[in-house]
Amino acid sequence: MDTSAVLDIGYSALVLAAQLSAPLLITALAVGFAISLFQSVTQIQEVTLSFVPKAVGVGLALLIAGHWMIQESVAFTNALFERIPGLLAG
């Protein structure tokens, strides 16, 4: 196995990790921004107010995007298993 194959696998894994985390992070960012905007308008400065809406939003995003995330993970793992013979051969 040469260096370019290792770098290619590592790059693909990092891109997949970014793709899989994007729906959850964007949802948490949007909900956090909305709660922050609400807090600044109403001048309610409670730190724990944003936790429950963020948790619910991320849970909903996980329910919606979870099937796609599993499919992408399985496809990546299958692609890695298919590459094993070529990597071992040289």
Side-chain angles (χ1 to χ4, degrees), residues 2-4 9 11 16 30 32 39 62 64-65 72-73 79 81 87:
D2 59 343
T3 308
S4 64
I9 291 171
Y11 176 76
L16 180 68
Q39 283 181 329
L62 193 58
I64 293 169
E72 290 294 316
S73 298
F81 282 138
L87 293 172

Side-chain angles (χ1 to χ4, degrees), residues 19-57:
Q19 287 175 346
L20 293 180
S21 65
L24 304 178
L25 291 176
I26 290 171
T27 302
L29 178 70
V31 171
F33 179 74
I35 296 299
S36 174
L37 190 64
F38 173 75
Q39 283 181 329
S40 65
V41 167
T42 60
Q43 294 183 355
I44 299 173
Q45 298 302 324
E46 178 62 34
V47 178
T48 60
L49 180 65
S50 66
F51 178 73
V52 173
K54 276 186 192 178
V56 170

Side-chain angles (χ1 to χ4, degrees), residues 69-89:
M69 293 168 75
I70 295 283
Q71 283 181 339
E72 290 294 316
S73 298
V74 168
F76 180 74
T77 304
N78 286 336
L80 282 179
F81 282 138
E82 290 172 2
R83 286 182 69 177
I84 288 175
L87 293 172
L88 293 177

